[in-house]
Amino acid sequence: MIKLSTYSQLGKRIEYLRKQKGWSQEDLSLESNVNKNYICDLENGRRNPSLMILVRISRALKISLQTLFQGIE
């Protein structure tokens, strides 16, 4: 079994939570005021997001940071 990097796990978690809301990447981008291309890169594990980016995404999804990181090793 291949273990995903922390960034990849976080990206998959954000993608999962976004899809649970029925949102596109553009929807999340608009709600969080984070560039759509950045959201795409983040979901694909190609970004190292700052705390402020994660706060904006969690607020847009109406979840806590703790919930955002749930299940990430």
Side-chain angles (χ1 to χ4, degrees):
M1 186 165 118
I2 297 173
K3 182 164 167 60
L4 295 175
S5 73
T6 303
Y7 298 126
S8 293
Q9 290 179 60
L10 178 60
K12 295 299 175 202
R13 178 74 176 149
I14 290 170
E15 180 181 19
Y16 170 80
L17 293 166
R18 173 180 61 77
K19 287 181 175 179
Q20 286 291 303
K21 288 195 152 299
W23 287 0
S24 66
Q25 288 178 342
E26 186 168 351
D27 293 330
L28 180 54
S29 172
L30 291 170
E31 291 293 324
S32 63
N33 198 28
V34 175
N35 183 282
K36 183 172 121 13
N37 293 329
Y38 192 98
I39 298 285
C40 179
D41 286 346
L42 184 57
E43 288 186 358
N44 287 294
R46 295 187 297 255
R47 289 290 184 153
N48 177 6
S50 69
L51 179 58
M52 276 315 305
I53 293 288
L54 295 175
V55 166
R56 287 164 43 191
I57 288 171
S58 65
R59 285 181 179 164
L61 293 169
K62 296 188 180 7
I63 59 171
S64 67
L65 281 174
Q66 180 178 355
T67 300
L68 182 65
F69 281 95
Q70 192 171 17
I72 296 173
E73 298 178 1

